[in-house]
């Protein structure tokens, strides 16, 4: 369903904000704060007071208390007094679609957080988007609102703190596609002191915990736990520059191979046999004296076998440590438990079964005797 409303009003709910302006000049200041630009009194004329049934045109300061103190035309539990003005041109984007186009945020998205938490007796889905222009977009959804869910959206500025983020709320608006009866879409002002803080959960900067404004129930705020979603295609951001990057669990770095081992493999086995050991000097073949010039030496003692693992032939398959462990026999611990509890239990079962069989046998004998007496009595009769 396309958004067809051409004129969008800005509303200041005096009932929700618990605020009554004393002068009409306060109205442009409220709108200027909300849209972060200077707006004059001339750009927002006419200023209209309403209770959703009747309207009052506010031309001077004396008209404000007259409008506010007038009797409400609606029931008390839904009665509301508000001031609405036309939003000047150039503030709302021309292609504006609620929930699709942002009003304040114009930069690139840095991060997105999502959470599903309980607010009063309802479940609220919260989505927080952070932009590099220092604006944020907070959408709260009531999933069980029929075919078309109800959305309430906050926009404002975010500020980085030592522990997380501080959100400064500037505007609010609600939207539902199949809203009946149809109500004109409008942007609402927020309290000037409406700010909340969200703190990182741990050092990973993957989750934000804190309070945000409530859209249902009687409480002003409710607790949320927002988890950061994937950053594919988004600008990278580092909140805490002092904290080192955690090691990647997707890519494992391979250990560097020693240059000596690499050279030895490149030269082949022939070059290894020709190369002298470290610390020894090669002797030319011509300088070697004849074998007969050496005195006869005693036979060398047999060296004990070393504890080093046996060498593997070049073509032999490698045996891993786990396979070697599997080949070793596993010692089974002897069963030291006494069998007497088993014997006692079996004996008790035999005695109990014998007792029930004895009772059953007596009942059969009694029945047989009674049948015999009855048969004898019938013959006599």
């Amino acid at each position: 369903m396309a958004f067809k409303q051409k004129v969008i009003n800005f509303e200041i709910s005096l009932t929700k904000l618990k605020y009554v302006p004393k002068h009409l000049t306060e109205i442009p200041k409220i709108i200027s704060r909300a849209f972060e630009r200077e707006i004059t009194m001339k750009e927002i004329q006419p200023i209209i007071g309403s209770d959703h049934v009747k309207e009052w045109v506010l031309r001077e300061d004396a008209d404000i208390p007259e409008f506010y103190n007038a009797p409400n035309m609606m029931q008390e539990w839904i009665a509301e007094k508000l001031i609405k003005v036309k939003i000047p041109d150039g503030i709302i984007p021309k292609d504006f679609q609620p929930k699709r186009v942002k009003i304040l945020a114009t930069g690139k998205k840095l991060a997105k957080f999502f959470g599903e938490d309980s607010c009063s007796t309802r479940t609220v889905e919260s989505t927080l988007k952070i932009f590099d222009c220092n604006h944020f977009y907070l959408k709260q959804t009531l999933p069980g609102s029929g075919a078309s869910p109800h959305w309430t959206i906050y926009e404002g500025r975010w500020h980085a703190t030592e522990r997380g983020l501080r959100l400064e709320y500037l505007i609010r608006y609600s939207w539902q596609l199949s809203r009946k009866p149809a109500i004109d879409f409008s942007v609402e002002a927020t309290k000037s002191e409406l700010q909340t803080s969200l703190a990182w959960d741990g050092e990973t900067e993957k989750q934000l915990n804190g309070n945000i404004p409530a859209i249902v129930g009687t409480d002003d705020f409710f607790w949320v736990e927002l988890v950061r979603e994937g950053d594919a295609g988004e600008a990278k951001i580092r909140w805490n520059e002092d904290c080192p990057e955690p090691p990647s669990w997707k890519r494992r770095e391979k250990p560097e191979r020693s240059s000596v081992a690499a050279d030895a493999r490149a030269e082949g086995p022939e070059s290894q046999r020709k190369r002298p050991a470290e610390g020894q000097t090669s002797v030319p073949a011509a300088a070697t004296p004849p074998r007969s010039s050496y005195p006869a030496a005693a036979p060398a003692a047999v060296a004990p076998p070393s504890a080093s693992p046996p060498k593997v032939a070049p073509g032999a398959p490698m045996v891993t440590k786990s396979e070697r462990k599997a080949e070793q026999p596993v010692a089974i611990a002897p069963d030291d438990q006494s069998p007497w509890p088993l014997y006692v239990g079996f004996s008790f079962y035999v005695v109990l079964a014998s007792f029930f069989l004895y009772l059953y046998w007596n009942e059969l004998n009694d029945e047989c005797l009674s049948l015999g007496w009855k048969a004898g009595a019938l013959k006599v009769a």
Side-chain angles (χ1 to χ4, degrees):
M1 181 177 178
F3 182 72
K4 301 179 180 180
Q5 185 174 332
K6 295 182 179 180
V7 179
I8 300 178
N9 294 324
F10 183 83
E11 295 183 354
I12 305 173
S13 176
L14 307 184
T15 305
K16 294 179 181 177
L17 302 181
K18 299 179 181 180
Y19 161 77
V20 180
K22 297 181 179 180
H23 307 283
L24 290 178
T25 54
E26 299 178 21
I27 307 300
K29 295 180 180 179
I30 297 175
I31 305 176
S32 299
R33 173 190 172 272
F35 295 111
E36 300 180 303
R37 64 181 66 187
E38 189 66 28
I39 296 177
T40 62
M41 179 75 74
K42 185 178 179 180
E43 294 178 298
I44 61 174
Q45 292 292 342
I47 302 175
I48 299 175
S50 173
D51 60 356
H52 297 294
V53 177
K54 186 179 178 180
E55 293 185 347
W56 292 262
V57 179
L58 308 179
R59 297 185 177 88
E60 54 186 15
D61 297 344
D63 296 335
I64 299 176
E66 180 182 351
F67 145 70
Y68 187 76
N69 296 324
N72 293 316
M73 305 299 294
M74 301 182 69
Q75 297 182 8
E76 184 177 357
W77 65 279
I78 58 173
E80 182 183 18
K81 292 291 184 71
L82 55 90
I83 295 175
K84 60 181 181 179
V85 297
K86 175 187 174 182
I87 298 178
D89 298 335
I91 295 180
I92 303 295
K94 294 182 180 180
D95 58 345
F96 177 73
Q97 292 280 342
K99 200 182 76 68
R100 295 185 179 180
V101 180
K102 285 68 178 173
I103 296 178
L104 300 180
T106 57
K108 192 173 183 180
K109 183 172 66 176
L110 297 176
K112 179 181 178 181
F113 299 85
F114 176 80
E116 186 174 350
D117 303 276
S118 298
C119 180
S120 185
T121 58
R122 300 290 299 274
T123 299
V124 180
E125 298 176 355
S126 305
T127 303
L128 175 64
K129 297 180 181 179
I130 303 297
F131 299 88
D132 60 359
C133 58
N134 280 97
H135 288 100
F136 73 86
Y137 176 88
L138 176 62
K139 179 184 68 176
Q140 299 186 39
T141 307
L142 292 177
S145 303
S148 176
H150 175 84
W151 300 296
T152 297
I153 299 170
Y154 287 90
E155 293 192 38
R157 282 194 165 273
W158 65 270
H159 306 275
T161 62
E162 295 181 0
R163 300 182 57 187
L165 300 178
R166 178 169 55 86
L167 305 182
E168 180 184 357
Y169 302 85
L170 299 179
I171 59 175
R172 160 187 165 150
Y173 50 93
S174 301
W175 175 248
Q176 189 173 10
L177 294 178
S178 58
R179 180 184 295 181
K180 292 181 181 181
I183 301 176
D184 290 340
F185 175 80
S186 60
V187 180
E188 302 179 22
T190 61
K191 294 181 179 180
S192 58
E193 69 275 5
L194 182 56
Q195 297 182 11
T196 60
S197 296
L198 301 176
W200 295 115
D201 184 16
E203 298 294 336
T204 58
E205 299 181 356
K206 294 294 183 181
Q207 179 175 329
L208 286 169
N209 301 335
N211 290 311
I212 61 174
I215 60 174
V216 292
T218 57
D219 297 333
D220 295 334
F221 303 93
F222 74 104
W223 182 265
V224 295
E225 296 178 357
L226 306 177
V227 179
R228 187 172 183 176
E229 296 186 349
D231 299 336
E234 303 174 358
K236 294 183 178 179
I237 185 171
R238 184 65 184 168
W239 306 100
N240 190 354
E241 299 294 342
D242 298 332
C243 181
E245 290 284 353
S248 175
W249 59 272
K250 294 182 179 180
R251 184 183 70 251
R252 295 183 179 179
E253 298 181 357
K254 296 181 179 179
E256 297 182 358
R257 300 176 179 177
S258 61
S259 58
V260 178
D263 295 342
R265 279 192 294 270
E267 293 176 2
E270 295 296 333
S271 61
Q272 294 180 11
R273 287 197 293 269
K274 294 178 181 179
R275 181 180 300 172
E278 269 187 46
Q280 297 181 2
T281 309
S282 60
V283 181
T288 305
R291 188 180 298 271
S292 59
S293 60
Y294 289 101
V302 180
S306 61
S308 59
K311 296 183 179 179
V312 182
M318 297 295 293
V319 180
T320 61
K321 184 182 291 185
S322 59
E323 292 176 353
R324 287 199 300 270
K325 288 183 178 179
E327 294 176 358
Q328 297 176 358
V330 180
I332 301 176
D335 189 5
D336 297 335
Q337 295 183 358
S338 175
W340 282 107
L342 180 62
Y343 297 155
V344 172
F346 182 74
S347 303
F348 178 76
Y349 172 76
V350 170
V351 171
L352 189 63
S354 303
F355 175 73
F356 281 109
L357 287 174
Y358 175 74
L359 294 178
Y360 180 67
W361 179 258
N362 286 340
E363 290 180 0
L364 286 178
N365 289 335
D366 294 342
E367 290 180 2
C368 291
L369 291 175
S370 62
L371 288 174
W373 283 108
K374 288 181 180 179
L378 288 174
K379 287 182 180 181
V380 172

